[in-house]
Each structure stands twice: as C-alpha cells, then as structure tokens.
Amino acid sequence: MTYVVTDNCIRCKYMDCVEVCPVDCFYEGDNMLVIHPDECIDCGVCEPECPAEAIKPDTEPHLDAWLKLNADYAVKWPNITVKRDAPADAKDLDGEEGKLEKYFSPEPGQGD
Ligand code: SF4
Ligand code: F3S
C-alpha cells in the first residue's frame, strides 16, 4: 500500500505535505508533486495536511492511473522536502475538474 497524489494537487501545489513526511518521499514536478510508492511507509500523516485534499490511500477505488503516474514521475522528478509558497492562483484552481487533461506538465520542478 501507498499514498497517492491526485488531480487536485495540479496547480494548487500547496506543499504542506512535504514538511510532514518522515521519509521524504515527495518528488516535485512543474505544477504538482508525487509520492514514490516504494518509499512511502503508509503512515498517513500527509493526507490531512493537504488543503486541497489531493492525497489519498491507494486502497480507495479508481486510483490505478494515479498510482502509475506517481510511480512514473517519482523516478523522473527531483526530491522535495522544503515547502515553498503555493502558486498565487492556487485557491482559484482548487476543486476544478479535469486538471490532468487541462494542465498536467511532465516537466520537473526545481526540488530542494
Ligand atoms: Fe510520507 Fe507518510 Fe505521506 Fe507516505 S503516507 S507520503 S510516508 S507522510
Ligand atoms: Fe499537492 Fe496537497 Fe502537497 S496540493 S503539494 S499534495 S499539500
């Protein structure tokens, strides 16, 4: 089992999650983060910290595609452990449907 970052992280990217993870298993893309599924120890601490409610346990249904996206990009993007400011329009984007199709960027973020 692992926790998974899902759609609503895209362009919200609040980054509260990175500060609480005991094993530093978040990786940063240009406009979202992912969790490395082999490094996550399933502690669950990050889930309630995300203001966008974008982090889910993979025991929830219909998360296979998100689990694959997290696994694929965790090995391509840099590790991130220090929170920075969220995008200025994060609140406007919070809750918008279909962010993956509209906004996902495969480009890496800057990392720590
Ligand atoms: Fe890190 Fe725990 Fe969240 Fe996994 S569940 S990403 S180990 S804080
Ligand atoms: Fe994304 Fe939530 Fe973390 S919006 S960056 S998963 S705090």
Side-chain angles (χ1 to χ4, degrees), residues 5 8-9 12-17 26 33 49-52 54-55:
V5 183
N8 205 29
C9 179
C12 281
K13 204 181 180 186
Y14 288 116
M15 295 179 72
D16 300 66
C17 52
F26 282 90
L33 304 191
E49 295 297 324
C50 175
I55 302 175

Side-chain angles (χ1 to χ4, degrees), residues 38-102:
D38 296 335
E39 296 176 0
C40 174
I41 58 170
D42 311 328
C43 71
V45 171
C46 57
E47 184 184 10
E49 295 297 324
C50 175
E53 299 184 6
I55 302 175
K56 311 283 184 198
D58 73 348
T59 47
E60 288 194 9
H62 315 303
L63 288 181
D64 287 356
W66 284 106
L67 179 58
K68 181 171 181 347
L69 186 146
N70 277 242
D72 287 350
Y73 285 94
V75 297
K76 294 177 178 155
W77 290 347
N79 190 240
I80 178 77
T81 63
V82 179
K83 174 178 162 64
R84 295 190 307 274
D85 289 341
D89 59 353
K91 278 207 167 58
D92 299 332
L93 276 292
D94 196 344
E96 186 170 321
E97 300 281 322
K99 291 182 180 183
L100 178 68
E101 294 77 14
K102 286 188 271 191

